[in-house]
Amino acid sequence: MKVEKTEILIIGAGPAGSVAAGLLRKQGREVLILEREQFPRFSIGESLLPQSMEYVEEAGMLRDVVEAGFQYKNGAAFARGDKYTDFDFREKFSPGWGTTYQVQRATFDQVLAGAAARMGATVRFRHEVTSVDTEGAQPEVTVRSPEGETYRVQARFLLDASGFGRVLPRLLKLETPSNFPVRGALFTHVEDRIAPGTFDRNKIRVTVHPEHVHVWYWTIPFANGRCSLGVVAKKEFLEQFQGTETERLRAIVGQDPGLTTLLKDAVWDTPARAITGYAANVKSLWGKGFALLGNAGEFLDPVFSSGVTIAFKSASLASACIRRAFAGESVDWEREYAVPLKAGVDTFRTFVESWYAGGFQDVIFHPNASPEVRRMISAILAGYAWDTNNPYVADSKRRLGVLEKLCAA
Ligand code: FAD
């Protein structure tokens, strides 16, 4: 069988893969991306965080994203019963981008993959990686082409950006269970027909279920009068609802009076979809000749829209390590890649756990929050989970615990 050679092989042209490709092309590396699907293709994960813009910019893809005309986003709004609060990400503790976009991922991922190709990466769609060998001097993968033919590619370094495909974790038995309970989501896109002035389209809106603190809905407005709408809950909660995915989603949306009113004129023209058990973890984020990016490594939870930001951050950290490795320096992947990546992921984890326990919800809905504390929380909600100057990053568990107690009292 023919063996092709490349410097960097990337599995998957999602956000992690394409941004990594851009960063590595800027270093002058030869990059090949193998993507299983034909783009454009649907993907979930549509609300970006401002922190992610830094990596789009670093990868040389800012203009591509700006010119795509996505919905502008400047914050997050939260509703629970008659309570409402919102955070403007431009008013935040950490320096950096305060705005970003809400994106249809079919288009967004195509824009990023197109930018990677424009920068000189070879992107092959409908080429699926089916097996991997990391025992030899260089990692080697087996690929199935759209014509059903099989070929092999050997690379000096392999980046697994296969997202929920989790290619290397599966094939190299790196998977470990997530500590989170099994949750799932039902979601669709609707033509929302929300009257202008009644809804801030520049923010994601997270609505907490009127009776269950651990059930929440997202409404993510797009630039074309449509909205992404979804609900997240434990598997057992979702299983109580019968019928098609659309019928189940409609029934759960119908349990929240505020959301029902907001979407009273919506046209439900797209069949809903379901995803369950997406939280995932791995024993190690790297190995000999390879590293795992984005969702191919760890995925926590969708509540703070952190997935794409973490995917970009992983691409940025990994490409910095690759730069040094190709310059002949020795790289400690645990210390220089895994530990710094996990630091921010752990900040999000603290806030996610507190969200589902209800404590963080009490904090954000508290009527008398100090403006400085809100700016620090705004920074984390904007994705600046690696900024250790923020006390809620540096000492997140203890600080948030104290705040929860104050708010509960
Ligand atoms: P992906 O986007 O999954 O891309 C991986 C690519 O690899 C895919 O194109 C796939 O086709 C390809 N691939 C897979 N297997 C193979 C193979 N064998 N060979 C070749 N190619 C392969 N994140 C946010 O930032 N904001 C949100 O609002 C948000 N909402 C979410 C809501 C839900 C319900 C869920 C479950 C997640 C949400 N996320 C959100 C997370 C977000 O979807 C992911 O974190 C993000 O897409 C990860 O990007 P990635 O590049 O790692 O992987």
Side-chain angles (χ1 to χ4, degrees):
M1 196 189 303
K2 193 184 104 204
V3 182
E4 225 179 287
K5 294 201 178 198
T6 185
E7 284 188 328
I8 312 286
L9 176 62
I10 301 178
I11 311 174
S18 291
V19 161
L23 292 166
L24 290 160
R25 281 301 303 141
K26 282 179 79 178
Q27 295 176 23
R29 301 270 70 90
E30 180 191 22
V31 178
L32 170 63
I33 308 185
L34 299 173
E35 165 56 53
R36 183 175 60 184
E37 306 290 329
Q38 180 63 56
F39 279 19
R41 55 93 180 90
F42 178 85
S43 176
I44 194 68
E46 298 149 325
S47 196
L48 305 183
L49 301 181
Q51 164 82 89
S52 70
M53 301 304 290
E54 184 182 321
Y55 306 114
V56 172
E57 198 172 14
E58 186 191 347
M61 299 178 171
L62 184 58
R63 186 167 167 181
D64 304 81
V65 170
V66 169
E67 290 186 352
F70 295 115
Q71 170 66 44
Y72 165 83
K73 173 181 172 185
N74 63 21
F78 297 88
R80 187 171 74 182
D82 56 4
K83 294 196 170 106
Y84 178 91
T85 185
D86 61 18
F87 288 82
D88 188 324
F89 293 154
R90 293 163 299 182
E91 291 155 21
K92 59 169 172 30
F93 175 85
S94 305
W97 283 79
T99 62
T100 183
Y101 298 101
Q102 289 161 166
V103 301
Q104 292 93 333
R105 283 284 300 277
T107 314
F108 182 68
D109 289 13
Q110 192 173 30
V111 165
L112 294 184
R118 172 180 58 68
M119 294 171 75
T122 303
V123 189
R124 286 186 201 148
F125 294 101
R126 296 179 58 216
H127 286 248
E128 181 180 7
V129 173
T130 55
S131 71
V132 62
D133 179 359
T134 54
E135 297 299 316
Q138 293 192 339
E140 198 173 288
V141 302
T142 308
V143 190
R144 190 168 40 234
S145 76
E147 296 75 33
E149 281 157 12
T150 302
Y151 63 97
R152 295 211 304 251
V153 183
Q154 197 180 75
R156 285 179 64 189
F157 203 86
L158 172 62
L159 290 172
D160 182 4
S162 62
F164 295 119
R166 302 183 66 72
V167 174
L168 263 53
R170 273 189 298 108
L171 296 173
L172 300 180
K173 308 222 176 325
L174 297 172
E175 301 211 78
T176 54
S178 162
N179 294 332
F180 287 126
V182 179
R183 296 195 173 91
L186 288 165
F187 49 91
T188 189
H189 288 177
V190 296
E191 186 186 318
D192 60 74
R193 300 200 180 175
I194 300 172
T198 59
F199 181 51
D200 185 350
R201 298 194 77 87
N202 299 334
K203 293 182 175 66
I204 182 176
R205 176 178 155 131
V206 172
T207 306
V208 182
H209 190 282
E211 284 158 41
H212 307 285
V213 286
H214 54 87
V215 179
W216 60 275
Y217 310 84
W218 78 72
T219 350
I220 301 174
F222 296 131
N224 59 358
R226 298 178 67 79
C227 236
S228 173
L229 169 68
V231 65
V232 173
K234 280 193 192 146
K235 189 168 159 272
E236 301 76 35
F237 179 90
L238 297 174
E239 281 170 356
Q240 297 171 65
F241 296 85
Q242 306 297 315
T244 63
E245 260 98 34
T246 304
E247 287 163 346
R248 294 166 68 210
L249 178 57
R250 287 194 84 141
I252 305 174
V253 168
Q255 293 188 335
D256 187 80
L259 206 51
T260 304
T261 308
L262 191 70
L263 296 170
K264 65 181 178 359
D265 298 322
V267 182
W268 292 62
D269 54 8
T270 308
R273 301 171 187 237
I275 178 170
T276 315
Y278 37 71
N281 207 346
V282 281
K283 285 179 212 152
S284 174
L285 285 170
W286 60 277
K288 188 174 136 240
F290 73 85
L292 311 180
L293 304 184
N295 273 17
E298 180 170 8
F299 180 68
L300 288 178
D301 187 89
V303 68
F304 301 128
S305 307
S306 56
V308 171
T309 301
I310 293 170
F312 285 169
K313 176 77 180 180
S314 68
S316 171
L317 286 168
S319 6
C321 289
I322 290 174
R323 177 198 297 275
R324 298 200 30 236
F326 274 73
E329 297 174 36
S330 88
V331 175
D332 179 343
W333 278 84
E334 187 60 29
R335 196 173 56 80
E336 294 171 54
Y337 176 65
V339 170
L341 181 61
K342 283 187 204 164
V345 174
D346 285 343
T347 307
F348 283 123
R349 188 190 322 279
T350 301
F351 282 80
V352 168
E353 283 170 355
S354 172
W355 169 269
Y356 283 105
F360 185 57
Q361 296 183 25
D362 293 340
V363 168
I364 58 171
F365 289 116
H366 198 277
N368 305 319
S370 113
E372 191 53 15
V373 168
R374 273 183 71 87
R375 273 164 36 81
M376 290 171 182
I377 288 173
S378 181
I380 290 167
L381 294 175
Y384 292 88
W386 290 266
D387 177 12
T388 49
N389 290 323
N390 184 343
Y392 286 88
V393 171
D395 192 11
S396 59
K397 259 210 162 72
R398 196 189 62 80
R399 285 266 183 173
L400 187 55
V402 171
L403 202 54
E404 283 175 10
K405 285 204 187 90
L406 280 172
C407 292

